[in-house]
């Protein structure tokens, strides 16, 4: 049985990692993200018994960025079934950066997994909806169910800022359209994807999503099933093998908790029989992962023996 971590303990652990707040750099390839404050650190734990603890700047909202890839994957799987999704996107990890294009040229020319940008763009393309707004509206409704919070929306400025500068993601989409992995309009898929990445949450809302995944897809308060159990398992498995991009191997060794990072500086972690952990700290290391997020998760995992391995 894993010991409970109280809010006071969490505050202390957060203070311990505070000195690392300026060790990396905030993301600047999306102009709107470059204004994040490296000192805005926050952490929340949602236990699967419904109890929650938090510390730091927990009211700060940040965009999901790549963490949204886990949620869009769950929805695309529910919309289309496993066969359809995995005919178009693979299940294998990659040692490449998240926006890498070159493996698409290998046969079969489908993205290696749904956590790299190419795979995530293909997944967004599969979400049911005739227009980008319909897809994003369905994704938001899904997130409202996952968090039991209907106030969550997306940040228009971040979405527009990314849409206007996403030339590499456009290239990935055009390449995949040539190979019939994606259908329809490239611009519309990119529109939906950039809005998906710009969905804003705080650490408490994010930790609750982690707890739902840890609870096999059932809401931790009501017990209502929101994601089929086997699909929640698929999402958590991708978090282990591909969630931290080309740092997934070292993260598995040092931390050993299924987790997904985003370039806003957030990390979502989900641990069966325990709950969800969310960390925010906008300074990123060279691989695009939150410096403070990694340090804090490593500390907690070692101190409380949380590794699944
Ligand atoms: O596709 C992009 O560039 C972003 N919107 C999401 C990338 C991301 O979060 C990668 N993370 N570590």
């Amino acid at each position: 049985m894993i010991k409970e971590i109280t809010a006071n303990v969490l505050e202390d652990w957060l203070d311990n990692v505070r000195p690392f707040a300026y060790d990396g750099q905030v993301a600047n390839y999306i102009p709107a993200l470059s204004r994040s404050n490296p000192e805005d650190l926050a952490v929340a734990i949602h236990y699967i018994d419904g109890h929650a603890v938090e510390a730091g700047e927990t009211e700060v909202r940040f965009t999901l960025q790549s963490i949204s890839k886990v949620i869009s994957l769950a929805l695309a799987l529910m919309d289309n079934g496993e066969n359809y999704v995995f005919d178009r996107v693979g299940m294998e990890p990659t040692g490449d950066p998240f926006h890498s294009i070159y493996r698409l040229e290998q046969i079969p020319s489908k993205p290696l997994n749904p956590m790299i940008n190419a795979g995530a763009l293909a997944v967004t393309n599969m979400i049911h909806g005739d227009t980008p707004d319909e897809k994003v509206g369905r994704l938001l409704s899904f997130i409202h169910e996952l968090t039991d919070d209907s106030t969550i929306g997306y940040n228009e400025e971040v979405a527009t800022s990314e849409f206007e500068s996403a030339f590499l993601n456009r290239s990935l989409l055009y390449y995949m359209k040539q190979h019939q992995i994606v259908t329809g309009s490239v611009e519309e898929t990119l529109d939906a994807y950039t809005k998906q990445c710009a969905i804003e949450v705080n650490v408490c809302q994010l930790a609750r999503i982690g707890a739902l995944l840890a609870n096999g897809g059932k809401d931790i308060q009501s017990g209502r099933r929101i994601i089929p159990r086997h699909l929640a398992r698929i999402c958590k498995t991708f978090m282990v093998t591909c969630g931290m991009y080309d740092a997934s191997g070292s993260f598995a060794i040092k931390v050993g908790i299924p987790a997904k990072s985003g370039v806003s500086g957030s990390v979502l972690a989900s641990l069966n029989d325990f709950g969800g952990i969310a960390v925010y700290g906008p300074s990123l290391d060279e691989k695009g992962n939150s410096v403070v997020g990694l340090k804090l998760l490593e500390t907690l995992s070692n101190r409380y023996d949380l590794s699944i391995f």
Side-chain angles (χ1 to χ4, degrees):
M1 177 65 188
I2 293 158
K3 298 178 201 85
E4 274 212 352
I5 304 160
T6 62
N8 285 346
V9 169
L10 216 47
E11 198 73 62
D12 287 346
W13 287 120
L14 194 59
D15 284 341
N16 287 348
V17 292
R18 225 172 263 288
F20 300 101
Y22 283 94
D23 265 17
Q25 281 198 322
V26 300
N28 52 20
Y29 78 99
I30 300 174
L33 288 185
S34 61
R35 293 192 292 278
S36 316
N37 177 0
E39 289 178 24
D40 280 344
L41 308 181
V43 54
I45 297 180
H46 230 299
Y47 294 101
I48 49 171
D49 67 2
H51 174 59
V53 288
E54 56 183 62
E57 313 297 320
T58 52
E59 76 292 347
V60 171
R61 289 158 78 91
F62 48 85
T63 53
L64 285 174
Q65 297 302 330
S66 282
I67 294 174
S68 68
K69 294 170 181 174
V70 177
I71 305 165
S72 58
L73 174 66
L75 185 58
L77 285 165
M78 286 161 68
D79 278 354
N80 302 283
E82 286 169 65
N83 290 344
Y84 184 93
V85 172
F86 295 123
D87 276 352
R88 289 157 182 80
V89 179
M91 297 182 183
E92 301 307 332
T94 145
D96 306 325
F98 62 87
H99 40 43
S100 176
I101 196 167
Y102 92 100
R103 275 185 202 260
L104 275 181
E105 281 214 67
Q106 294 172 350
I107 306 294
S109 58
K110 68 179 193 184
L112 275 177
N113 67 67
M115 300 294 122
I116 51 172
N117 282 9
L121 287 159
V123 165
T124 301
N125 182 255
M126 292 174 209
I127 292 175
H128 289 177
D130 290 336
T131 62
D133 285 344
E134 206 177 315
K135 282 180 198 271
V136 176
R138 291 191 61 247
L139 191 59
L140 277 173
S141 302
F142 185 48
I143 291 177
H144 295 163
E145 280 196 288
L146 297 174
T147 55
D148 194 28
D149 190 333
S150 57
T151 63
I152 294 172
Y154 68 85
N155 181 317
E156 292 247 14
E157 190 202 348
V158 175
T160 306
S161 160
E162 180 173 357
F163 184 81
E164 287 171 354
S165 55
F167 303 111
L168 194 43
N169 282 340
R170 272 189 180 81
S171 314
L172 293 168
L173 276 168
Y174 277 111
Y175 196 92
M176 291 190 290
K177 185 155 167 84
Q178 176 73 31
H179 292 276
Q180 289 95 41
I181 294 162
V182 299
T183 56
S185 153
V186 161
E187 291 300 305
E188 287 192 359
T189 301
L190 191 67
D191 184 20
Y193 174 79
T194 50
K195 285 174 177 161
Q196 158 193 326
C197 288
I199 292 173
E200 272 188 319
V201 295
N202 59 37
V203 278
C204 302
Q205 293 161 333
L206 192 57
R208 184 159 172 165
I209 297 177
L212 181 138
L213 288 171
N215 200 28
K218 281 188 185 174
D219 180 64
I220 42 162
Q221 301 289 355
S222 66
R224 193 164 73 86
R225 174 158 305 286
I226 297 178
I227 301 176
R229 188 175 186 83
H230 68 290
L231 299 185
R233 185 174 53 76
I234 290 175
C235 292
K236 286 178 284 188
T237 310
F238 277 121
M239 289 163 78
V240 172
T241 56
C242 322
M244 310 301 281
Y245 303 104
D246 42 337
S248 298
S250 59
F251 186 83
I253 288 171
K254 290 184 188 160
V255 182
I257 303 175
K260 181 77 202 83
S261 64
V263 285
S264 55
S266 43
V267 186
L268 163 68
S270 176
L271 186 59
N272 284 357
D273 302 323
F274 175 86
I277 310 174
V279 191
Y280 177 63
S283 266
L284 307 177
D285 64 18
E286 69 288 351
K287 298 201 167 170
N289 293 320
S290 166
V291 176
V292 163
L294 297 196
K295 288 255 179 249
L296 192 61
L297 287 168
E298 187 178 347
T299 314
L300 291 176
S301 177
N302 288 333
R303 172 65 185 79
Y304 296 95
D305 195 19
L306 301 181
S307 172
I308 61 171
F309 299 106

